[in-house]
Each structure stands twice: as structure tokens, then as C-alpha cells.
Amino acid sequence: MTQLLRHRHVAVRFAALYGLAMVVCFAAWAVAYAWLPDGVLRGRAGTAMLAGDTAAPTVLLEFLRIAAINLAVTVLFIILPNRMLEVGRWPLGYVPALFWSGAYGMILGSNSLTFAMPERLAPTLAVWGRSGPYEIAAYCLVAAATCGIAQARAPHLFSLSAAPIVPKPDWRSRVHWPALLLAAALLLAACWWEAYRIVKEFGTAAGVPVS
């Protein structure tokens, strides 16, 4: 798996990471669906607290809010960790992408989305009708596109020391820019879809017109 995650072709790295992320997501989803109480995780994530629990008055405003949060998460928790450190042979930014995949599965399985579903959703491929899997795909593509730019390497995740990588990688030449731009476009499209669904389904119910 490590060879695939560090493959020289960005498409292979992305496919391996996204495939692993979906395995983590569905496993967490199944566990949460079977064992966690309904709504137990609602509002506990930092992103959920930033987004709030009411729909914006327009799709554009909801989109700007969701996109700002997702872009900040991408930079702070994927690109910067990838630049800072490799853990063994894994870029550190892979870890948050996988963590969020598991968290998304737990949120789905426990019906802990900010805007709750009418009933708990059992693991199903119909989840690709939601925006979440595409946001995760964008995170994974960003992580794959910025693989190999780390300045230091630690032997394991909880190591207290890290050795500089010599020579220091030039991030400008190491980043796969077409893949990074594609990831940004995918993320923004997923954010727009999510914003539209939120305002359409919950804004209208509260008397807010969809625009």
C-alpha cells in the first residue's frame, strides 16, 4: 500500500488514498450505525461549530461559508502538514484526510449531521448522491498532489524527533499543479452542491427563498 501511496504517478497515489479513505469511511459508518446513539456527535466538530446550525439566506452566502471552511481545512490540515513532515514514508497530510473520512462515516452512521436526516442512514452506495464523498476526494487529491514536499521525516507518528530531508525539496517543482487545481475545482463544486441542498431543503422550510 505504501508503494501505491508514494507512486510516481499522482493518479495512482490519489486512487490508493481515496480507496483507503472510503474503506475507513464505510467501516466507521457501519460501527456508528450499529452502536452509536442518534445525533450523539452533532455539533461537536470544529467545522460544524464554525458553519453554525442555520442555513444562510442565499445559496451564494451558504457556499461562501462552506467553501471558506473547507479551503482553510485543506491548507491548514493537508498542505501544511505535507510540507512540514513525512511519517515513515507517508506524507503527514494523508493522516487528516483519512481521519476526516472516518469522522464523516461516524457522523453519517449516527445521524449527527448539522441538518439531521429524517432517519439514520445505513451504509449505502447512495452516499455518492451527497457532497461528502466528493469533498473527501478533493482532500485526497490535494494530499496526493502535494506528496513529496516535506522538509523533515519522523520515524513514526508520535515521534518526538524528526530529521531534516537533505536536500530540502523545492515545493514549487514537487507540487503536481494540474491535480491541485482539479482538486480545488472539485472541492468548490462539492461546496456549491452542499450549499444548494442546505438552502433548498432547510432554508425553504424556514421561510427562506432559494436563490
Side-chain angles (χ1 to χ4, degrees):
M1 178 58 75
T2 298
Q3 290 181 337
L4 294 176
L5 292 170
R6 292 300 304 263
H7 199 276
R8 63 191 183 92
H9 291 302
V10 67
V12 176
R13 296 197 300 271
F14 164 70
L17 183 58
Y18 188 53
L20 183 58
M22 288 297 99
V23 170
V24 171
C25 177
F26 273 79
W29 188 353
V31 169
Y33 183 78
W35 299 105
L36 291 186
D38 192 273
V40 67
L41 301 177
R42 186 172 299 121
R44 296 182 182 275
T47 53
M49 289 186 284
L50 288 173
D53 57 2
T54 58
T58 67
V59 174
L60 179 59
L61 289 176
E62 186 68 31
F63 164 74
L64 291 174
R65 178 166 60 183
I66 295 171
I69 292 170
N70 277 277
L71 290 172
V73 166
T74 300
V75 172
L76 295 175
F77 295 103
I78 296 180
I79 296 177
L80 287 182
N82 265 5
R83 178 57 171 165
M84 291 169 54
L85 191 66
E86 286 185 357
V87 179
R89 293 190 62 200
W90 282 41
L92 184 58
Y94 281 13
V95 177
L98 294 174
F99 173 81
W100 172 238
S101 302
Y104 182 65
M106 299 283 280
I107 289 169
L108 282 176
S110 62
N111 195 15
S112 295
L113 293 165
T114 300
F115 300 97
M117 295 175 283
E119 58 184 21
R120 292 160 71 98
L121 182 65
T124 172
L125 296 180
V127 71
W128 271 275
R130 306 184 64 90
S131 60
Y134 302 99
E135 292 177 0
I136 292 172
Y139 293 154
C140 291
L141 187 52
V142 169
T146 55
C147 175
I149 65 172
Q151 302 179 85
R153 180 178 292 116
H156 52 79
L157 185 58
F158 300 105
S159 175
L160 298 178
S161 62
I165 294 177
V166 180
K168 181 179 177 180
D170 177 14
W171 65 271
R172 297 175 186 82
S173 61
R174 291 289 190 94
V175 170
H176 196 289
W177 292 103
L180 188 61
L181 292 175
L182 178 60
L186 176 60
L187 183 61
L188 292 176
C191 291
W192 182 267
W193 185 7
E194 182 179 356
Y196 177 80
R197 288 189 56 169
I198 287 174
V199 175
K200 179 182 178 182
E201 296 176 19
F202 299 98
T204 303
V208 178
V210 176
S211 49

